[in-house]
Amino acid sequence: MNLAVKVGDLQLKNPVMPASGCFSFGKEVAAFYDLSVLGAIVVKATTLEERQGNKTPRLAETAAGMLNAIGLQNPGVKRVVETELPPLRKFGIPIIVNVAGNAMEDYVQVVERLNESPDVSAIELNISCPNVKCGGIQFGTDPEMAASMVRAVKRASRTPVIVKLSPNVTSISEMALAVEEAGADAISLINTLIGMKIDIARRAPLLANRQGGLSGPAIKPIAVRMVYEVTSHVKIPVIGIGGITTGEDVVEFLLAGAQAIQVGTANFTDPFACKRIIEELQAYCEEAGVKDINTLIGAANPDAKGRFL
């Protein structure tokens, strides 16, 4: 059975990788299992300087998901390159670094610093974080601004550039086409949806940031719809994200047209989530008689079916 997939020039042994921000830099989860079973690792968002993130409380559970307003807390690109990435080298799988910033120049400088690292396989351009005052979703809701960002980062990067899109837009296809035209090598979607929870005892927003990003099973149908829609319009690979908790969820995203997937919130409730999902995906393929997982990609989407085979 073949579980290997390609996302542009990236070769993945299977389509499962942790989503940025939900796996930190991997070392905590590496205490539970061998990370070499993953298709790739997507590490936490990295900015030019260290960030402490938003004030607490910045996490809240909901009926079918989680609200977060972490605010891109990270140690800064210098420490990421020197300390966080080298230990991941031993796992022998692609390392994708999620890049964020306040201004276009920030993104470019982070990418230039990452070029010095032999450990970076690709960049995931974060233009969709809803929890920061500057940067993030500001770039991800304007097609022209997003395209300008992609062009600037593509000129600076020595590795493929994956653009992570926000669902908080009027037309996800318009955003996808804009970044594809600007030279993006792949697209990942979706980031979180903007939400809010009220503390009825205090009669005030629960999160210190007032609003946060909703993730988890509640957003999966939205994510599947957007993957289906985007893969019907663009030619570059798409990585599906949003509420994936089982191997069958992965199959659903692949059938919609995704080349690979990322697992986010499930990692918080089950540190073995990615490993378990890979095992469930393999079991599904064995039971369904699927010899090559690539035959599933786009099989439920007539406009995407067979595009990348």
Side-chain angles (χ1 to χ4, degrees):
M1 179 195 311
N2 177 37
L3 291 182
V5 297
K6 286 182 65 179
V7 177
D9 292 333
L10 291 178
Q11 301 275 352
L12 312 183
K13 65 176 65 174
N14 62 68
V16 178
M17 57 188 106
S20 175
C22 304
F23 212 70
S24 190
F25 292 95
K27 56 188 174 187
E28 293 84 358
V29 184
F32 293 96
Y33 64 89
D34 182 356
L35 301 187
S36 65
V37 301
L38 300 171
I41 295 177
V42 187
V43 301
K44 195 160 173 41
T46 298
T47 55
L48 188 59
E49 306 292 345
E50 178 181 0
R51 286 192 185 187
Q52 296 301 315
N54 294 325
K55 294 180 180 178
T56 58
R58 51 190 188 181
L59 285 176
E61 289 190 49
T62 71
M66 182 181 75
L67 281 167
N68 94 82
I70 302 299
L72 302 178
Q73 179 181 356
N74 77 95
V77 66
K78 182 176 185 296
R79 182 174 156 191
V80 169
V81 168
E82 295 177 354
T83 306
E84 302 292 352
L85 297 182
L88 298 176
R89 194 179 304 159
K90 64 184 177 185
F91 298 111
I93 57 177
I95 300 171
I96 301 170
V97 178
N98 186 285
V99 171
N102 289 332
M104 191 177 299
E105 293 76 17
D106 293 347
Y107 285 82
V108 170
Q109 288 185 58
V110 173
V111 169
E112 289 174 344
R113 184 69 179 88
L114 291 172
N115 284 342
E116 301 169 12
S117 169
D119 301 308
V120 180
S121 304
I123 298 296
E124 183 178 63
L125 190 58
N126 186 343
I127 57 170
S128 49
C129 179
N131 300 320
V132 290
K133 292 180 180 177
C134 298
I137 201 169
Q138 287 181 320
F139 298 111
T141 53
D142 182 322
E144 292 185 11
M145 194 178 291
S148 296
M149 175 71 78
V150 172
R151 291 189 193 97
V153 169
K154 277 291 292 181
R155 285 194 295 269
S157 180
R158 67 169 180 81
T159 62
V161 175
I162 302 163
V163 182
K164 188 170 184 177
L165 295 182
S166 169
N168 302 294
V169 294
T170 302
S171 172
I172 192 70
S173 295
E174 183 181 10
M175 293 301 304
L177 287 166
V179 301
E180 179 185 47
E181 175 65 24
D185 297 289
I187 290 169
S188 56
L189 73 145
I190 57 175
N191 206 319
T192 55
L193 289 125
I194 299 173
M196 176 181 274
K197 184 171 184 175
I198 301 293
D199 182 338
I200 60 172
R202 293 190 300 113
R203 300 184 179 183
L206 189 148
L207 297 175
N209 193 54
R210 298 188 180 181
Q211 65 182 35
L214 178 66
S215 60
I219 73 169
K220 198 190 84 175
I222 300 168
V224 171
R225 189 271 292 177
M226 289 193 167
V227 166
Y228 188 99
E229 181 179 332
V230 167
T231 54
S232 300
H233 287 84
V234 304
K235 294 182 173 59
I236 55 178
V238 170
I239 300 169
I241 316 166
I244 294 171
T245 61
T246 69
E248 291 191 356
D249 291 341
V250 180
V251 173
E252 195 173 347
F253 274 85
L254 297 180
L255 292 173
Q259 303 283 103
I261 62 90
Q262 295 179 9
V263 179
T265 304
N267 290 298
F268 291 103
T269 55
D270 176 9
F272 294 94
C274 287
K275 179 176 183 291
R276 173 181 52 77
I277 287 170
I278 293 167
E279 293 167 351
E280 291 175 355
L281 182 61
Q282 184 166 0
Y284 167 87
C285 290
E286 289 175 351
E287 185 175 345
V290 177
K291 295 181 180 179
D292 185 344
I293 200 166
N294 290 278
T295 61
L296 297 176
I297 297 172
N301 184 348
D303 295 325
K305 187 177 182 180
R307 289 182 313 151
F308 307 112
L309 299 179

